[in-house]
């Protein structure tokens, strides 16, 4: 014997649950479509810590760099892990160029790349890098917590990592995340 | 002649035994690192606990991804150096966070995850309790008017 109220609840509660779930899924898919949500992404623990100890040789006529070179910087810099064999890297190339022109120095780290292939890539998609080093065996990338290219880190003066993204630097990511993070530094 | 044959047989047996012993290796090379069999066993135990971050539902041991291969190499190099399992797992967590662990640790961040079965059980028992109590109270007693009507209907 169900009273009218409990009968209404019996119908209403599952319906409300489904409705809330549906709205939640819709929001997730919407954000995935816009590129502001990546279900495979996870927080890189390096954010909020100093850049790890490393030394890398330069490539393509550039001088190599190390942890100390980043720590002595007086201006923020963007560290970009990329590779000539990486398709999304070519996709973000024009936006990297715009970032470099806006005055933020980009230090590139070529991940598991051959110098010849890298030279071809830079000739084709442009070279936005202020400095460029090569991580041939990918060990330095692992020390940065990189799991795929492209990945980018915003490093504050003094060498503290302040922001990170795993994936290409598309305009939405730059406007919604990188620029606010950069503003918080200054 | 017979004795010679027996000697030959013994000699052959010894030679085969020695060859068999040489075939049973005590070290193995995996992912660019040479290690003993017990060391390899230990490395596999560690790799089975870690998530390949490229194919995210595979273990580091099972994945074909390049990154997993590199992880396996790192694990094995650390095993050879004599690091403990905990040191090696901590090395990975330090770089990739707890997401790299296939079994999430019990920390404040994961309380809701670990305790949700308990929470669901308590909620279910609560609903059951309330439903029971309702049944026990039954319908309210009849008013004198209703009692008269009931008598009328039953007679």
């Amino acid at each position: 014997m169900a009273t009218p109220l409990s009968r209404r609840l019996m119908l209403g509660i599952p319906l409300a649950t489904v409705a809330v779930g549906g709205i939640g899924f819709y929001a997730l898919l919407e954000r995935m479509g816009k590129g502001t949500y990546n279900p495979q992404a996870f927080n890189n623990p390096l954010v909020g810590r100093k850049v790890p100890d490393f030394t890398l040789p330069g490539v393509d006529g550039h001088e190599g760099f190390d942890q100390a070179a980043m720590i002595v910087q007086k201006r923020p810099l963007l560290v970009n892990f990329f590779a000539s064999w990486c398709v999304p890297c070519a996709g973000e190339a024009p936006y990297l160029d715009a970032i470099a022109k806006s005055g933020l120095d980009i230090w590139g780290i070529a991940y598991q790349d051959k110098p010849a292939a890298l030279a071809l890539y830079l000739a084709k998609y442009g070279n936005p890098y202020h400095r460029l080093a090569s991580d041939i065996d990918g060990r330095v990338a692992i020390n940065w917590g990189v799991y795929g290219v492209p990945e980018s880190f915003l490093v504050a003066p003094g060498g503290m990592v302040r922001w990170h993204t795993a994936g290409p630097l598309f305009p939405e990511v730059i406007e919604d995340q990188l620029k606010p993070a950069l503003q918080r530094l200054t | 002649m017979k004795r010679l044959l027996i000697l030959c047989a013994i000699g052959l047996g010894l030679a085969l035994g020695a060859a068999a012993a040489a075939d049973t290796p005590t070290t193995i090379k995996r992912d660019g690192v040479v290690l003993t069999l017990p060391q390899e066993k230990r490395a596999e135990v560690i790799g089975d606990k870690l998530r390949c971050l490229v194919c995210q539902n595979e273990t580091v041991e099972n994945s074909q991804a390049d990154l997993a291969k590199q992880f396996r190499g790192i694990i094995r190099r650390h095993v050879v150096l004599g690091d403990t399992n905990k040191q090696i797992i901590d090395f990975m967590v330090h770089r990739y966070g707890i997401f790299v662990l296939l079994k999430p640790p019990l920390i404040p961040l994961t309380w809701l995850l670990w305790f949700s079965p308990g929470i669901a059980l308590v909620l279910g028992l609560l609903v059951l309790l309330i439903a029971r109590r309702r049944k026990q109270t039954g319908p309210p007693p009849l008013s004198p008017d209703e009692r008269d009507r009931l008598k009328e209907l039953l007679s």
Side-chain angles (χ1 to χ4, degrees), chain A residues 109-130:
Chain A
I109 298 179
Y111 174 76
Q112 297 194 323
D113 217 340
K114 293 194 176 82
L118 188 63
L120 279 176
Y121 174 86
L122 293 172
K124 189 169 176 191
Y125 296 102
N127 183 349
Y129 301 109
H130 184 69

Side-chain angles (χ1 to χ4, degrees), chain A residues 40 49 112 137 143 145-146, chain B residues 56 70 77 94-97:
Chain A
Q40 295 214 310
R49 293 207 302 237
Q112 297 194 323
D137 57 19
N143 283 337
V146 168
Chain B
Q56 296 190 341
Q70 277 188 305
R77 273 191 292 278
H94 183 76
R95 283 155 182 76
Y96 291 96

